[in-house]
Amino acid sequence: MGASFYSHFPKLLVTLISLTFFLNLSSAARPISPHPSTEFIKTSCSSTTYPKLCISSLSTHANLIQTSPKLIAHTALNVTLATAKATSVMMVNLSKSQGMKPKEVEAMQDCLEELSDTVDELRKSIGEMGQINNKGSDFGMLMSDIQTWVSAALTDESTCSDGFGGKAMNGKVKTTLRLKIMNIAHLTSNALALINRYASIHG
Ligand SMILES: *[C@@H]1O[C@H](CO)[C@@H](O)[C@H](O)[C@H]1NC(C)=O
Ligand SMILES: *[C@@H]1O[C@H](CO)[C@@H](O)[C@H](O)[C@H]1NC(C)=O
């Protein structure tokens, strides 16, 4: 069986790849040439530290982003905020669930405080992002605020994750939470890179 399997393998692979390609195309009813926004998102994301996550988190918003450096930065902040909020809710739920030791709950509550700061900082950044290009707004000042807050959010996330370092936390829960927080930190880092990119193009 071995020889014939391996001799058919390349053909099988090609068939699978074409099938996947065809299904992708047909399910999204995309035109053959890539959407300009999809290309724009790819190019913009290549300047971030986590380009794959950047593309996957933003490509569903391609219609909104178009090819605007401002809108991609704004959308990245929105996506990061939504993810941080969802993780917060999940953690509150988890900390209330049965079988949590007091030490675990304590570690989670510390982390939740940092996450809540993160959410505030992202909200404020999004608020100022919306004021850019308003009459009389100072681009440099708004940008500097946004960069400061998003950097602070990044620090808070890493503090939150560090809180799980001790032996207090159950291994599986710790791993899950760390991954969730890491995901938020990576989204935040990407958003900051896109903000810096926008600032340098605009300025
Ligand atoms: C970001 O979220 C706000 C509030 O939900 C929404 O009004 C705005 O259209 C979003 N902007 C972008 C660029 O995603
Ligand atoms: C949190 O718990 C509530 C009530 O038990 C539930 O409805 C909700 O889906 C949970 N949310 C998450 C993100 O786990």
Side-chain angles (χ1 to χ4, degrees):
M1 162 271 180
S4 101
F5 176 75
Y6 283 112
S7 63
H8 284 108
F9 189 67
K11 227 170 161 180
L12 192 67
L13 201 62
V14 168
T15 310
L16 269 177
I17 289 170
S18 342
L19 193 64
T20 310
F21 187 66
F22 172 75
L23 286 176
N24 271 339
L25 280 180
S26 57
S27 68
R30 278 189 211 120
I32 300 299
S33 64
H35 192 279
S37 179
T38 308
E39 281 305 302
F40 172 75
I41 291 171
K42 257 195 215 164
T43 313
S44 307
C45 284
S46 67
S47 69
T48 66
T49 309
Y50 310 98
K52 268 191 193 163
L53 176 67
C54 179
I55 294 169
S56 68
S57 63
L58 295 175
S59 53
T60 50
H61 305 284
N63 284 341
L64 190 68
I65 292 167
Q66 301 162 44
T67 56
S68 155
K70 182 188 181 206
L71 287 175
I72 196 172
H74 195 155
T75 306
L77 283 174
N78 275 9
V79 168
T80 310
L81 175 63
T83 310
K85 280 205 247 173
T87 303
S88 250
V89 172
M90 189 216 82
M91 259 171 87
V92 170
N93 272 10
L94 196 61
S95 67
K96 285 179 187 161
S97 68
Q98 288 194 328
M100 280 288 152
K101 297 188 201 104
K103 278 202 163 167
E104 294 178 329
V105 174
E106 201 185 311
M108 268 195 262
Q109 274 164 352
D110 289 346
C111 182
L112 272 167
E113 260 173 53
E114 305 289 340
L115 260 191
S116 146
D117 290 344
T118 290
V119 166
D120 281 346
E121 284 144 0
L122 291 170
R123 272 210 187 104
K124 285 193 287 186
S125 304
I126 289 168
E128 296 226 335
M129 202 76 190
Q131 287 177 38
I132 289 175
N133 296 343
N134 277 1
K135 219 175 157 199
S137 67
D138 180 339
F139 181 81
M141 210 180 72
L142 292 173
M143 249 323 145
S144 154
D145 281 349
I146 294 169
Q147 285 163 329
T148 304
W149 287 328
V150 177
S151 305
L154 206 48
T155 308
D156 288 331
E157 289 148 15
S158 100
T159 310
C160 166
S161 188
D162 288 349
F164 297 141
K167 286 178 194 154
M169 187 81 54
N170 164 296
K172 210 169 160 188
V173 175
K174 182 154 76 180
T175 308
T176 308
L177 290 179
R178 278 204 149 156
L179 285 175
K180 293 262 180 201
I181 303 296
M182 196 164 61
N183 184 49
I184 299 172
H186 290 180
L187 287 171
T188 307
S189 153
N190 285 346
L192 188 57
L194 294 170
I195 287 162
N196 291 339
R197 192 167 192 266
Y198 168 51
S200 70
I201 293 169
H202 188 285

